[in-house]
Amino acid sequence: MALDQSFVGRTYPPTAPYEVGREKIREFAEAVGDPNPAYTDAEAAKALGHPDVIAPPTFVFSITFKAAGQVVQDPQLGLDYSRVVHGDQKFAYTRPVRAGDRLTVTSTIEGVKSLAGNDILDIRGEVHDEAGEHVVTAWTKLVARAAEEA
Amino acid sequence: MTAKISYTDVEVGTELPAQTFPVDRATLVRYAGASGDFNPIHWNERFAKDVGLPDVIAHGMFTMAEAARVVTDWAGDPGAIVEYGVRFTKPVVVPDDDQGALIEVSGKVAAKLDDNKVRVDLTATSAGQKVLGMSRAVVRLA
C-alpha cells in the first residue's frame, strides 16, 4: 500500500535527552574494532582539541534511529517495518558527539515515495545538545520492499 | 580539531591507505549489543533465509563504521569528519565458518574544497561485490 504523501514535512516532538556515556563509546569502538585513543582516552582526545573522549562518526545513528522509531511506528503512516531495509545514510557534523553530551533528536519526514511497489521514506534527525546547539544531522533513507506476488 | 594531514600535502587523486576488516558472527553479535540493533537478519540464519537473504548479513551501519576508519585513521582526528554518507548497495554476507567475511575499503581524494576541506570517495567491497555506493566523506585537514 502506498504511503500517504501528506506526511512529507511532518516533524515529531524532540526526544527525551540521551546521555552519552564514556563506557558506551568504548563499547561501540571495541565492537567496530577501532583502537583510536580519541574514543577511550580523555588525554588523547584533549590533545586533538576535544574537551573529552569523542564517539566514532556513526555512533550517533543508534540515537537517531531510535528517534526515527516515532516515524517508522506511526500507525497513521502505516509503514510495513518487517519489509524495511536501510537504503542510504548520511551525517553532517557541527562537532563530534562526546562523553557527557545530553542529546535530543527532532525527526522530520523529508520524503515519501512509492517506486515500483517499494515505499521509500526519507527521515531527517536533527541532534542538539543540552545548550540547544546543533551537533549533527542524520539523514536516513528506509525502503519497504514490495510484498512478493502471492 | 587537529588532523595530522595537511591540506597543502594532498592533491586530487591522493590515495588513502587501504584497509581490510574481518567480520564474523561474533563480530555481529557484539555490534548488535553495542548499537542496540538486534534485527535477527544479523544473527539468525533461519530468519535471514526466511526473508529471502542468502545467509546472515552484516549490519549496514557496521560496514559504514569500518569504511569510516580508512578516513579517520588517515586524518588522525575522527572529529575532522564534517560529512559522511553512503548508499547500501549489496549486503555483506557472513557465513557461519572460521573465516567469516572480509570488507575491503580504499579511498582517494576526489576534490579539494574551501576552508581546508577535501572530499574523499570510498570504495568498499566484500566477496568481490561493491557493498557501498556513493560513499563519500568531507574532512577538514590541517
Side-chain angles (χ1 to χ4, degrees), chain B residues 31-141:
Chain B
Y31 184 78
S35 69
D37 183 346
F38 294 101
N39 188 328
I41 60 174
H42 305 305
W43 51 268
N44 183 330
E45 190 167 322
R46 175 174 49 83
F47 185 93
K49 288 180 172 170
D50 273 357
V51 297
L53 294 166
D55 205 336
V56 161
I57 64 168
H59 303 73
M61 290 306 299
F62 176 82
T63 303
M64 187 176 186
E66 298 305 321
R69 288 180 54 191
V70 165
V71 181
T72 55
D73 286 354
W74 175 67
D77 180 4
I81 289 198
V82 178
E83 285 179 32
Y84 179 38
V86 305
R87 171 161 296 166
F88 302 105
T89 50
K90 292 271 186 206
V92 174
V93 178
V94 182
D96 183 19
D97 60 21
D98 293 339
Q99 276 81 47
L102 295 174
I103 302 169
E104 294 172 73
V105 183
S106 61
K108 65 178 177 193
V109 175
K112 293 189 80 172
L113 311 172
D114 60 0
D115 202 18
N116 280 11
K117 289 183 289 191
V118 298
R119 194 187 92 213
V120 172
D121 288 2
L122 295 164
T123 304
T125 60
S126 185
Q129 296 254 36
K130 205 169 162 186
V131 293
L132 297 179
M134 306 282 292
S135 183
R136 295 171 167 186
V138 174
V139 194
R140 184 173 287 115
L141 300 178

Side-chain angles (χ1 to χ4, degrees), chain A:
Chain A
M1 196 182 70
L3 299 178
D4 185 348
Q5 297 282 330
S6 72
F7 276 74
V8 175
R10 180 171 296 207
T11 295
Y12 291 76
T15 56
Y18 173 103
E19 187 167 329
V20 178
R22 65 184 63 246
E23 294 305 331
K24 190 66 195 176
I25 292 175
R26 178 193 302 275
E27 180 189 9
F28 186 90
E30 286 177 352
V32 297
D34 193 333
N36 195 314
Y39 304 141
T40 52
D41 176 351
E43 293 311 312
K46 283 174 188 163
L48 294 170
H50 305 293
D52 204 332
V53 292
I54 62 172
T58 62
F59 174 88
V60 76
F61 180 78
S62 299
I63 306 167
T64 60
F65 191 62
K66 197 173 171 194
Q70 287 176 296
V71 182
V72 170
Q73 289 154 20
D74 184 338
Q76 291 182 312
L77 180 64
L79 188 73
D80 181 359
Y81 187 64
S82 71
R83 307 201 64 79
V84 165
V85 295
H86 199 172
D88 294 12
Q89 181 60 40
K90 186 180 170 188
F91 302 100
Y93 306 88
T94 296
R95 66 162 174 87
V97 168
R98 56 188 179 234
D101 273 340
R102 289 171 58 82
L103 303 175
T104 57
V105 186
T106 306
S107 299
T108 298
I109 298 182
E110 281 203 330
V112 174
K113 266 179 283 190
S114 285
L115 213 64
N118 297 324
D119 285 325
I120 301 166
L121 187 62
D122 286 297
I123 303 167
R124 185 182 76 241
E126 299 279 358
V127 181
H128 291 89
D129 64 16
E130 207 166 19
E133 300 291 328
H134 179 263
V135 178
V136 54
T137 299
W139 289 268
T140 301
K141 185 187 291 289
L142 298 176
V143 181
R145 292 170 299 146
E148 287 103 6
E149 296 297 322

